[in-house]
Amino acid sequence: MSSPLAPTRPTRLSLAVRDSATMLRRNLLHVRRYPSLTLNLLLTPVMLLLLFVYIFGDVMSAGIGGGGGGRSEYLAYLVPGILMLTIGGTTIGSAVSVAMDMNEGIIARFRTMAIHRGSVLIGHVVGSVLQCVMSVLLVGAVAVAIGFRSTDATALEWLAAVGLLALVSLALTWIAVGMGLSSPNAEAASNNALPLMVLPLLSSAFVPVDAMPGWFRPIAEYQPFTPAIETLRGLLLGTEIGHNGWLAVAWCVGLAALGYAWSTSLFNRDPK
């Protein structure tokens, strides 16, 4: 009979959690030591926020709710789209980071080590989601500093808004990881992931879909960012959400599943 003081053997789940936590810590340390990429990706949404509010705000507000609120009304309309744009831009850094690991042979080395195989990708994904949350908080702080307020949102609506932002971050991160794994180098990964930042520009982030030309309207309406932005507006500003809520969740779940299947397939593929 074994002694009650004998050490217990770690389970497969505990090993996976331990190795994933190690990989997460590695990725966060990498971000801290090389912050220039994250700062460059953050600069674009902040600059767009300031540009559209202070340069175009009075003009753009003319088509938003009758134009009675001026710049402040357009700021309220703009912020949810800018937050989604921030997530799209931050996940580009994930694609670049994964491509760098592949190009430098780090992932090939991890494959030969006695670690949980999926921990490498999990570390990248969780680290990216945390970066997205921090980026959204920083851009949101800039928005609050220049006058954005959400006085009508309840605590439950705020919680749902945070959950939606995290879900979008998770879905786009898995797509970005797949792009990084399939790219030959960091530059190609950055170019391949560019649609994650371009699509928000082609959504309802800056102007309502109804105000767009008829030929362009389907492009803006039937893409993942528009329902997510409209849902976030409804949660923070009290506008009508309609069918956008379940569409946003469906897009996120579908993209996350697609990105997960794509990424794990590329990662488990035998190196040439």
Side-chain angles (χ1 to χ4, degrees), residues 53 57-58 61 68-77 146-148:
V53 169
D58 290 333
S61 66
R71 183 179 296 165
S72 61
E73 183 177 357
Y74 186 65
L75 173 63
Y77 179 88
I146 63 176
F148 174 75

Side-chain angles (χ1 to χ4, degrees), residues 94-118:
S94 303
V96 173
S97 178
V98 171
M100 290 175 62
D101 281 353
M102 287 288 290
N103 194 43
E104 295 172 359
I106 300 298
I107 288 184
R109 186 179 304 172
F110 286 150
R111 285 192 177 110
T112 65
M113 298 174 64
I115 62 174
H116 188 267
R117 196 169 180 86

Side-chain angles (χ1 to χ4, degrees), residues 52-132:
F52 274 84
V53 169
Y54 289 107
I55 304 300
F56 305 129
D58 290 333
V59 176
M60 299 291 281
S61 66
I64 309 291
R71 183 179 296 165
S72 61
E73 183 177 357
Y74 186 65
L75 173 63
Y77 179 88
L78 182 66
V79 167
I82 291 293
L83 296 181
M84 290 295 174
L85 178 68
T86 302
I87 294 175
T90 304
T91 53
I92 294 178
S94 303
V96 173
S97 178
V98 171
M100 290 175 62
D101 281 353
M102 287 288 290
N103 194 43
E104 295 172 359
I106 300 298
I107 288 184
R109 186 179 304 172
F110 286 150
R111 285 192 177 110
T112 65
M113 298 174 64
I115 62 174
H116 188 267
R117 196 169 180 86
S119 64
V120 179
L121 296 184
I122 293 173
H124 274 291
V125 170
V126 176
S128 176
V129 172
L130 291 177
Q131 288 182 64
C132 287

Side-chain angles (χ1 to χ4, degrees), residues 23-38 93 96-98 100-101 104 106 124 131:
M23 291 299 168
L24 172 61
R25 185 164 59 249
R26 169 190 175 265
N27 290 315
L28 293 179
L29 287 173
H30 185 80
V31 171
R32 191 180 69 178
R33 291 174 182 172
Y34 304 98
S36 57
L37 177 60
T38 302
V96 173
S97 178
V98 171
M100 290 175 62
D101 281 353
E104 295 172 359
I106 300 298
H124 274 291
Q131 288 182 64

Side-chain angles (χ1 to χ4, degrees), residues 28 31 35-46 82-98 124-139 165 168-170 172-177 189-190 193-198 200 225:
L28 293 179
V31 171
S36 57
L37 177 60
T38 302
L39 292 177
N40 288 335
L41 292 172
L42 271 176
L43 186 62
T44 298
V46 170
I82 291 293
L83 296 181
M84 290 295 174
L85 178 68
T86 302
I87 294 175
T90 304
T91 53
I92 294 178
S94 303
V96 173
S97 178
V98 171
H124 274 291
V125 170
V126 176
S128 176
V129 172
L130 291 177
Q131 288 182 64
C132 287
V133 172
M134 293 301 298
S135 299
V136 165
L137 289 176
L138 290 174
V139 175
L165 291 169
V168 172
S169 302
L170 179 65
L172 296 186
T173 295
W174 275 116
I175 295 294
V177 168
S190 179
L194 195 60
L196 298 178
M197 200 165 190
V198 172
F225 280 99

